[in-house]
Amino acid sequence: FCLSLKLEEKAKGKLQKRICQVVLDHFEKQYRAELGHAWSSVRDVLTSPWCWQHAVLLNRFSQNPGLESSLAEQGYHPAFPAALPYLPAAFRCYTRTAPGRFPAQKHQPGRLKEYYLLNAASLLPVLALEVKDGEDVLDLCAAPGGKSVAILQCACPGNFHCNEYDDLRSRWLEQTIESFIPDTLINLITVSKLDGREIGDLQPEFYDKVLVDAPCSNDRSWLFSADPQQAVLRLMQRKELSSLQFQLLRSAVKALRPGGSLVYSTCTLSKAENSDVINLMLNSCRNVMPVDISEMARGVSQEFSFLSGMQQHELLVLPEEGRAWGPMYVAKLKKVSST
């Protein structure tokens, strides 16, 4: 027992040393002001990777009869209750309260993976989008591909456009799709490397559903920036992200058909990149209205911790010990008429 305790303390010490102090100091100032007393417990989780949890999203296109019983033996349980307003039968995800990671599967050309490991909160934007069979769907900022894979666990779109502007991340996206989706469905999927800000003009009113999982100041990864100089540069560029996010949102609205809906998400706690971007969109576009997602939030409240005081069309998942999911901001909008 003493040896395992020493090893744990040693591991914690190594992880602690990797925390980038300049980023933590910046977050400390900003998030204490924005989150109040909630920030202390969130900070404790974000700075303690040994308490992070991982969900296991099963791949409905790859059958492994023993997988679910194996997960159950290791303390995993179904993550989402049947009371949710949207939960397709084929969508199966498992979580457990204990930290740790289920073994990852390596990419093997020609062989489908059986599951995808991810932060369970990243599935909430997909459930909020409510994709149905035959709909035309755009994942505007799709890499590394987890949400694209999750969408295809829910339904078979008529056309599914997965876009990623960054060349390296686009190749990652293509590999993810190859790892999880059978050849018979690949012809439904278009992978592109377009500037997301231009898609609305290139394909106006073409899609029924659009997911904008926007580039953001990823709080978890930024805290462990290996290069302090890069961290300082990131923090300087942080102010420009909300402008990019708004432009991506505006493009997404243009790409939507009247009556279509979009979900905007980030993995940051930052109000400037979350509520402020959505409020700017609602105030500047008369043909867009908010969509209430509070029923979904109530349905998953046992699994996730949310920031109180949010509007009904948005939610913010706060990591806490035992429910170390997030950060994840989700907001839903609907296009009511042509531009």
PDB file of all heavy atoms in Angstrom, residues 203-216:
ATOM      1  N   GLN A 203     -22.493  27.063 -50.145  1.00  0.00           N
ATOM      2  CA  GLN A 203     -23.641  26.140 -50.115  1.00  0.00           C
ATOM      3  C   GLN A 203     -24.794  26.759 -49.313  1.00  0.00           C
ATOM      4  O   GLN A 203     -25.153  26.254 -48.247  1.00  0.00           O
ATOM      5  CB  GLN A 203     -23.220  24.801 -49.502  1.00  0.00           C
ATOM      6  CG  GLN A 203     -22.161  24.061 -50.320  1.00  0.00           C
ATOM      7  CD  GLN A 203     -21.750  22.751 -49.669  1.00  0.00           C
ATOM      8  OE1 GLN A 203     -21.366  22.714 -48.505  1.00  0.00           O
ATOM      9  NE2 GLN A 203     -21.828  21.662 -50.418  1.00  0.00           N
ATOM     10  N   PRO A 204     -25.376  27.830 -49.811  1.00  0.00           N
ATOM     11  CA  PRO A 204     -26.438  28.502 -49.047  1.00  0.00           C
ATOM     12  C   PRO A 204     -27.693  27.637 -48.917  1.00  0.00           C
ATOM     13  O   PRO A 204     -28.111  26.995 -49.879  1.00  0.00           O
ATOM     14  CB  PRO A 204     -26.713  29.758 -49.872  1.00  0.00           C
ATOM     15  CG  PRO A 204     -26.275  29.419 -51.261  1.00  0.00           C
ATOM     16  CD  PRO A 204     -25.107  28.499 -51.095  1.00  0.00           C
ATOM     17  N   GLU A 205     -28.227  27.604 -47.715  1.00  0.00           N
ATOM     18  CA  GLU A 205     -29.492  26.916 -47.403  1.00  0.00           C
ATOM     19  C   GLU A 205     -29.521  25.485 -47.934  1.00  0.00           C
ATOM     20  O   GLU A 205     -30.495  25.025 -48.512  1.00  0.00           O
ATOM     21  CB  GLU A 205     -30.678  27.739 -47.927  1.00  0.00           C
ATOM     22  CG  GLU A 205     -30.704  29.134 -47.305  1.00  0.00           C
ATOM     23  CD  GLU A 205     -32.003  29.887 -47.575  1.00  0.00           C
ATOM     24  OE1 GLU A 205     -32.772  29.462 -48.448  1.00  0.00           O
ATOM     25  OE2 GLU A 205     -32.234  30.902 -46.903  1.00  0.00           O
ATOM     26  N   PHE A 206     -28.441  24.762 -47.689  1.00  0.00           N
ATOM     27  CA  PHE A 206     -28.295  23.400 -48.199  1.00  0.00           C
ATOM     28  C   PHE A 206     -28.538  22.341 -47.124  1.00  0.00           C
ATOM     29  O   PHE A 206     -28.876  21.202 -47.423  1.00  0.00           O
ATOM     30  CB  PHE A 206     -26.893  23.219 -48.787  1.00  0.00           C
ATOM     31  CG  PHE A 206     -26.683  21.915 -49.514  1.00  0.00           C
ATOM     32  CD1 PHE A 206     -27.114  21.756 -50.825  1.00  0.00           C
ATOM     33  CD2 PHE A 206     -26.076  20.835 -48.881  1.00  0.00           C
ATOM     34  CE1 PHE A 206     -26.936  20.544 -51.488  1.00  0.00           C
ATOM     35  CE2 PHE A 206     -25.889  19.627 -49.531  1.00  0.00           C
ATOM     36  CZ  PHE A 206     -26.325  19.479 -50.842  1.00  0.00           C
ATOM     37  N   TYR A 207     -28.382  22.700 -45.845  1.00  0.00           N
ATOM     38  CA  TYR A 207     -28.378  21.703 -44.773  1.00  0.00           C
ATOM     39  C   TYR A 207     -29.577  21.840 -43.832  1.00  0.00           C
ATOM     40  O   TYR A 207     -30.062  22.934 -43.562  1.00  0.00           O
ATOM     41  CB  TYR A 207     -27.080  21.808 -43.961  1.00  0.00           C
ATOM     42  CG  TYR A 207     -25.855  21.551 -44.802  1.00  0.00           C
ATOM     43  CD1 TYR A 207     -25.101  22.609 -45.311  1.00  0.00           C
ATOM     44  CD2 TYR A 207     -25.455  20.252 -45.106  1.00  0.00           C
ATOM     45  CE1 TYR A 207     -23.979  22.383 -46.091  1.00  0.00           C
ATOM     46  CE2 TYR A 207     -24.344  20.006 -45.893  1.00  0.00           C
ATOM     47  CZ  TYR A 207     -23.602  21.071 -46.387  1.00  0.00           C
ATOM     48  OH  TYR A 207     -22.500  20.842 -47.175  1.00  0.00           O
ATOM     49  N   ASP A 208     -29.994  20.667 -43.307  1.00  0.00           N
ATOM     50  CA  ASP A 208     -31.054  20.637 -42.295  1.00  0.00           C
ATOM     51  C   ASP A 208     -30.496  20.853 -40.896  1.00  0.00           C
ATOM     52  O   ASP A 208     -31.159  21.437 -40.040  1.00  0.00           O
ATOM     53  CB  ASP A 208     -31.767  19.273 -42.321  1.00  0.00           C
ATOM     54  CG  ASP A 208     -32.387  18.984 -43.675  1.00  0.00           C
ATOM     55  OD1 ASP A 208     -33.297  19.732 -44.076  1.00  0.00           O
ATOM     56  OD2 ASP A 208     -31.954  18.020 -44.333  1.00  0.00           O
ATOM     57  N   LYS A 209     -29.285  20.369 -40.678  1.00  0.00           N
ATOM     58  CA  LYS A 209     -28.645  20.472 -39.361  1.00  0.00           C
ATOM     59  C   LYS A 209     -27.174  20.845 -39.549  1.00  0.00           C
ATOM     60  O   LYS A 209     -26.507  20.318 -40.457  1.00  0.00           O
ATOM     61  CB  LYS A 209     -28.730  19.135 -38.593  1.00  0.00           C
ATOM     62  CG  LYS A 209     -30.157  18.599 -38.386  1.00  0.00           C
ATOM     63  CD  LYS A 209     -30.860  19.290 -37.256  1.00  0.00           C
ATOM     64  CE  LYS A 209     -32.333  18.937 -37.143  1.00  0.00           C
ATOM     65  NZ  LYS A 209     -32.600  17.536 -36.777  1.00  0.00           N
ATOM     66  N   VAL A 210     -26.673  21.724 -38.685  1.00  0.00           N
ATOM     67  CA  VAL A 210     -25.260  22.095 -38.718  1.00  0.00           C
ATOM     68  C   VAL A 210     -24.697  22.058 -37.296  1.00  0.00           C
ATOM     69  O   VAL A 210     -25.298  22.610 -36.368  1.00  0.00           O
ATOM     70  CB  VAL A 210     -25.034  23.498 -39.314  1.00  0.00           C
ATOM     71  CG1 VAL A 210     -23.544  23.849 -39.297  1.00  0.00           C
ATOM     72  CG2 VAL A 210     -25.571  23.586 -40.742  1.00  0.00           C
ATOM     73  N   LEU A 211     -23.558  21.408 -37.154  1.00  0.00           N
ATOM     74  CA  LEU A 211     -22.819  21.426 -35.890  1.00  0.00           C
ATOM     75  C   LEU A 211     -21.605  22.328 -36.050  1.00  0.00           C
ATOM     76  O   LEU A 211     -20.816  22.152 -36.976  1.00  0.00           O
ATOM     77  CB  LEU A 211     -22.371  20.010 -35.514  1.00  0.00           C
ATOM     78  CG  LEU A 211     -21.477  19.895 -34.276  1.00  0.00           C
ATOM     79  CD1 LEU A 211     -22.198  20.362 -33.019  1.00  0.00           C
ATOM     80  CD2 LEU A 211     -20.976  18.461 -34.101  1.00  0.00           C
ATOM     81  N   VAL A 212     -21.478  23.298 -35.144  1.00  0.00           N
ATOM     82  CA  VAL A 212     -20.308  24.177 -35.125  1.00  0.00           C
ATOM     83  C   VAL A 212     -19.564  23.922 -33.815  1.00  0.00           C
ATOM     84  O   VAL A 212     -19.811  24.576 -32.803  1.00  0.00           O
ATOM     85  CB  VAL A 212     -20.691  25.670 -35.238  1.00  0.00           C
ATOM     86  CG1 VAL A 212     -19.431  26.533 -35.338  1.00  0.00           C
ATOM     87  CG2 VAL A 212     -21.599  25.909 -36.432  1.00  0.00           C
ATOM     88  N   ASP A 213     -18.691  22.932 -33.831  1.00  0.00           N
ATOM     89  CA  ASP A 213     -17.841  22.656 -32.669  1.00  0.00           C
ATOM     90  C   ASP A 213     -16.577  23.496 -32.869  1.00  0.00           C
ATOM     91  O   ASP A 213     -15.589  23.030 -33.403  1.00  0.00           O
ATOM     92  CB  ASP A 213     -17.521  21.160 -32.592  1.00  0.00           C
ATOM     93  CG  ASP A 213     -16.775  20.800 -31.330  1.00  0.00           C
ATOM     94  OD1 ASP A 213     -17.141  21.288 -30.248  1.00  0.00           O
ATOM     95  OD2 ASP A 213     -15.801  20.016 -31.425  1.00  0.00           O
ATOM     96  N   ALA A 214     -16.648  24.740 -32.428  1.00  0.00           N
ATOM     97  CA  ALA A 214     -15.722  25.781 -32.868  1.00  0.00           C
ATOM     98  C   ALA A 214     -14.325  25.649 -32.267  1.00  0.00           C
ATOM     99  O   ALA A 214     -14.169  25.175 -31.130  1.00  0.00           O
ATOM    100  CB  ALA A 214     -16.300  27.151 -32.509  1.00  0.00           C
ATOM    101  N   PRO A 215     -13.307  26.071 -33.026  1.00  0.00           N
ATOM    102  CA  PRO A 215     -11.973  26.213 -32.432  1.00  0.00           C
ATOM    103  C   PRO A 215     -12.082  27.138 -31.225  1.00  0.00           C
ATOM    104  O   PRO A 215     -12.754  28.171 -31.280  1.00  0.00           O
ATOM    105  CB  PRO A 215     -11.158  26.867 -33.551  1.00  0.00           C
ATOM    106  CG  PRO A 215     -11.912  26.576 -34.809  1.00  0.00           C
ATOM    107  CD  PRO A 215     -13.352  26.527 -34.432  1.00  0.00           C
ATOM    108  N   CYS A 216     -11.440  26.764 -30.128  1.00  0.00           N
ATOM    109  CA  CYS A 216     -11.579  27.547 -28.898  1.00  0.00           C
ATOM    110  C   CYS A 216     -10.309  27.426 -28.064  1.00  0.00           C
ATOM    111  O   CYS A 216      -9.403  26.667 -28.396  1.00  0.00           O
ATOM    112  CB  CYS A 216     -12.790  27.063 -28.098  1.00  0.00           C
ATOM    113  SG  CYS A 216     -12.592  25.384 -27.423  1.00  0.00           S
TER     114      CYS A 216
END
